[in-house]
């Protein structure tokens, strides 16, 4: 039906579905929807064998309503302009839902990183950064990249180093990119942030008794059957936190296939097994599934797509048996699948909220870089001393005394990881209840995704109106 619809068109469709519930002038909506700047460039790479290859790269800044713009860089063989545009647009809406003060952006390089040596990847990444610098598409106050599919801390360190070398003496240079290694200005907890954010999201969703009753589920994560698609940074940590909270990982899907075990899989054991190059299908003690797609159609409580976009279409949506879909990936559900899920009573926790933990902790990293001090460094000891005094006062008043172990546990000044995690937890819980309240106030809003887009549209619109552009 929508055979020629691109990923960006799909995001536009979601946007328009939500915009129906507003009365903003079409011009304002068009301004929010469009991509403000698109930069496409090609550059040569001399490969290890001496041949020259042309590398294709993009950076899209979707919205300049707040600066800097923010979003990851993807390395994948099928990256293309409309995909990067769609992902940049999702970043704008994502940031506004969790009140992270950025416009959305995204970058991409059309390569399969597995086909390149580390030296080649370094050259590609440094050259990509040069191209961004050349056109003013990167900087702590301009546009701040981060990891995405196919990139990680290593690439971010190369970007930070290249940018800093080109901006000698720029005090905030290290804030030009987030997701850096700890020793290069990264923040504790960024690596697992998206997965942890997904966990806070699902824990919050499962805590509302009336919502769970409507799905035929009990509250809490204990005993819930979870299927995870993708054991990358997002899926791995989401699986880990859910399992640690008592959920059972009944299936894991990866590129080469999927495995199931009704008694539960341990994500790290599966990860370690695959790391040596082994197929997931040979993981001992689990039953192989006929295909990755079969895992998406398994009987389960929570399904976490944490790979790439376009996983659920009108074709497979009718066969999905999960009660809750927690979108770890960006854009896993097409707009044709969404009404099918709605009809079946599946609760979809949408990407632009659910996977916002990554950019939230990126924001904390950027704040740390701009302030040039580790979170907790100044106040930790002071808080600890205050708490110890309070304990002493309690001992005096009650005549009891705490052991040193109790005192150490009760009077603990927060370190950086404590603060990052508590900031993330606060953000995810608040944002979820914001979406839930929107649905309560507007019963005509059919689902959480529409509520999420509606929330984002309101926030971005307000920001344009405050700028006096659309009075
Ligand atoms: N690539 C991640 C995302 O899609 C993180 C972006 C960021 O931290 O800026 O949300």
């Amino acid at each position: 039906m929508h055979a020629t619809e691109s990923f960006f068109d799909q995001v536009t469709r979601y946007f328009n579905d939500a915009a129906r519930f507003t009365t903003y002038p079409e011009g304002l909506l068009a301004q929010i929807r469009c991509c403000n700047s698109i930069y496409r460039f090609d550059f040569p790479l001399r490969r290890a064998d001496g041949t020259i290859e042309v590398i294709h790269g993009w950076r899209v800044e979707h919205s300049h309503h707040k600066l800097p713009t923010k979003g990851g860089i993807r390395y994948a063989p099928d990256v293309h302009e409309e995909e990067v545009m769609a992902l940049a647009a999702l970043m704008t809406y994502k940031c506004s839902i969790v009140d992270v003060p950025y416009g959305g952006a995204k970058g991409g390089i059309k390569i399969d990183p597995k086909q390149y040596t580390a030296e080649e990847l370094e050259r590609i990444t440094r050259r990509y950064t040069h191209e961004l610098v050349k056109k003013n598409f990167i900087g702590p106050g301009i546009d701040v990249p981060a990891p995405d599919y196919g990139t990680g801390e290593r690439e971010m360190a190369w970007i930070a180093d290249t940018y800093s070398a080109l901006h000698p003496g720029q005090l905030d240079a290290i804030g030009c990119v987030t997701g850096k290694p700890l020793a290069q200005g990264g923040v504790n907890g960024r690596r697992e942030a998206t997965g942890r954010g997904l966990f806070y999201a699902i824990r919050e969703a499962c805590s509302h008794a009336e919502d769970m009753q409507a799905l035929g589920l009990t509250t809490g994560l204990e005993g819930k059957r979870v299927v995870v698609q993708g054991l990358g940074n997002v899926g791995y940590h989401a699986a880990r936190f859910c399992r640690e909270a008592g959920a059972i990982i009944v299936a894991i899907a990866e590129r080469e296939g999927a495995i199931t075990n009704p008694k539960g899989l341990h994500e790290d054991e599966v990860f370690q097994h695959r790391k040596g190059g082994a197929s997931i299908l040979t993981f001992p003690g689990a039953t192989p599934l006929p295909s990755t797609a079969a895992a998406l159609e398994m009987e389960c409580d929570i399904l976490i797509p944490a790979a790439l976009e376009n996983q659920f279409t009108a074709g497979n949506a009718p066969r999905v048996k999960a009660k809750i879909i927690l979108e770890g990936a960006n854009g896993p559900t097409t707009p044709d699948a969404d009404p099918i899920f709605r009809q079946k009573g599946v609760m979809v926790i949408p990407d632009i909220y659910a996977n916002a933990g990554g950019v939230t902790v990126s924001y904390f990293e950027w704040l740390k870089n701009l302030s040039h001090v580790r979170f907790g460094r100044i106040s930790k000891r002071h808080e600890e001393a205050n708490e110890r005094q309070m304990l002493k006062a309690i001992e005096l008043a009650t005549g009891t005394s705490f052991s040193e172990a109790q005192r150490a546990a009760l009077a603990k000044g927060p370190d950086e990881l404590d603060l990052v995690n508590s900031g993330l937890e606060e953000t995810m819980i608040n944002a979820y209840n914001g979406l839930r309240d929107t649905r309560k106030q507007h019963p005509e809003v059919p689902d959480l995704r529409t509520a999420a887009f509606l929330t984002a549209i309101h926030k971005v619109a307000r920001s344009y109106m405050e700028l006096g552009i659309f009075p």
Side-chain angles (χ1 to χ4, degrees):
M1 224 196 310
H2 295 91
T4 55
E5 194 177 48
S6 73
F7 187 11
F8 185 70
D9 294 334
Q10 293 176 358
V11 174
T12 301
R13 191 134 69 97
Y14 280 135
F15 180 100
N16 291 340
D17 284 347
R20 286 188 297 121
F21 298 102
T22 74
T23 53
Y24 296 121
E26 177 47 34
L28 172 55
L29 294 171
Q31 172 56 34
I32 299 173
R33 237 178 352 231
C34 68
C35 285
N36 291 171
S37 311
I38 301 174
Y39 179 29
R40 177 194 154 268
F41 46 97
D42 300 333
F43 56 84
L45 167 77
R46 186 185 294 278
R47 298 216 57 176
D49 64 4
T51 57
I52 305 280
E53 191 181 311
V54 179
I55 304 289
H56 310 287
W58 288 265
R59 184 73 184 171
V60 173
E61 294 172 357
H62 172 259
S63 180
H64 292 151
H65 75 288
K66 279 194 195 318
L67 289 172
T69 50
K70 187 92 189 73
I73 301 177
R74 173 172 291 202
Y75 289 2
D78 41 16
V79 164
H80 57 277
E81 188 158 308
E82 297 230 292
E83 181 190 37
V84 185
M85 287 166 65
L87 294 164
L90 291 175
M91 284 308 302
T92 294
Y93 309 132
K94 191 185 300 191
C95 289
S96 67
I97 287 166
V98 288
D99 287 330
V100 163
Y102 299 134
K106 205 78 171 199
I109 305 185
K110 189 177 163 57
I111 51 164
D112 176 359
K114 288 196 185 59
Q115 305 305 322
Y116 297 82
T117 63
E119 291 71 30
E120 289 172 334
L121 288 172
E122 178 171 355
R123 283 212 295 280
I124 292 170
T125 307
R126 288 186 183 275
R127 177 63 187 257
Y128 179 87
T129 312
H130 264 271
E131 297 293 332
L132 297 185
V133 169
K134 229 159 61 179
K135 299 282 188 209
N136 227 10
F137 264 70
I138 185 171
I142 297 169
D143 186 356
V144 181
D148 196 82
Y149 191 86
T151 59
E153 289 170 20
R154 180 183 65 170
E155 286 72 19
M156 302 308 116
W158 289 331
I159 293 173
D161 185 57
T162 308
Y163 181 88
S164 304
L166 293 169
H167 297 83
Q170 193 186 94
L171 198 55
D172 294 330
I174 199 96
C176 71
V177 65
T178 60
K180 300 178 291 291
L182 211 48
Q184 306 285 333
V187 75
N188 274 289
R190 174 62 184 88
R191 193 181 298 168
E192 62 270 34
T194 311
R196 187 180 277 278
L198 283 161
F199 161 68
Y200 289 142
I202 189 70
R203 191 190 65 184
E204 187 58 23
C206 290
S207 73
H208 293 278
E210 52 173 323
D211 299 354
M212 289 303 104
Q213 257 160 30
L215 296 169
L217 294 172
T218 54
T219 55
L221 279 174
E222 187 82 45
K224 292 232 169 18
R225 297 160 306 159
V226 177
V227 172
V228 184
Q229 182 207 23
L231 213 48
N233 185 42
V234 177
Y236 173 91
H237 286 106
R240 177 187 144 205
F241 293 119
C242 287
R243 181 185 51 73
E244 285 174 357
I248 305 161
I249 312 296
V250 292
I252 296 178
E254 255 295 342
R255 243 171 301 211
E256 69 275 20
I259 50 169
T260 176
N261 183 347
K263 291 206 192 85
L265 295 159
H266 192 296
E267 75 296 331
D268 193 58
E269 288 169 9
V270 179
F271 179 81
Q272 296 304 335
H273 171 80
R274 277 188 87 239
K275 216 168 119 184
S279 162
I280 199 169
L281 297 168
T282 58
F283 183 73
T287 313
L289 286 169
S291 66
T292 307
L296 301 179
E297 297 169 18
M298 259 184 68
E299 192 83 53
C300 67
D301 301 314
I302 301 164
L303 173 56
I304 310 180
L308 286 169
E309 58 265 21
N310 266 315
Q311 301 304 303
F312 303 116
T313 61
N316 65 353
R319 296 193 298 273
V320 169
K321 293 174 203 71
K323 303 219 166 62
I324 303 174
I325 296 175
L326 177 66
E327 294 186 339
N330 290 309
T333 307
T334 62
D336 287 341
D338 233 18
I340 300 171
F341 288 148
R342 215 152 49 218
Q343 217 171 17
K344 285 163 61 103
V346 179
M347 178 193 223
V348 180
I349 307 181
D351 51 2
I352 52 172
Y353 157 68
N355 71 29
V359 76
T360 300
V361 176
S362 273
Y363 170 47
F364 300 157
E365 178 176 332
W366 181 76
L367 291 175
K368 174 186 182 182
N369 295 154
L370 299 192
S371 62
H372 301 270
V373 64
R374 182 183 76 237
F375 293 113
R377 174 168 173 180
I378 292 174
S379 58
K380 183 171 183 279
R381 295 266 158 181
H382 178 71
E383 286 184 32
E384 218 162 280
N386 276 349
E387 278 157 13
R388 279 189 180 264
Q389 286 206 326
M390 179 72 78
L391 292 180
K392 217 179 265 172
I394 295 172
E395 283 178 332
L396 278 175
T398 60
T400 53
S401 74
F402 297 107
S403 69
E404 188 42 42
Q406 282 173 321
R407 223 171 280 147
L410 290 169
K412 183 186 172 293
D415 58 26
E416 182 168 270
L417 187 60
D418 296 327
L419 292 167
V420 162
N421 288 345
S422 97
L424 175 59
E425 184 173 9
E426 167 77 3
T427 302
M428 295 308 293
I429 292 175
N430 277 351
Y432 186 80
N433 288 299
L435 302 185
R436 212 170 161 269
D437 290 347
T438 302
R439 285 201 67 197
K440 283 221 141 95
Q441 284 155 15
H442 304 279
E444 68 283 11
V445 172
D447 55 22
L448 280 173
R449 190 189 315 278
T450 313
F453 270 91
L454 186 57
T455 304
I457 293 170
H458 280 313
K459 288 188 185 176
V460 182
R462 209 171 303 136
S463 155
Y464 272 115
M465 290 192 293
E466 278 161 9
L467 288 172
I469 295 172
F470 291 93

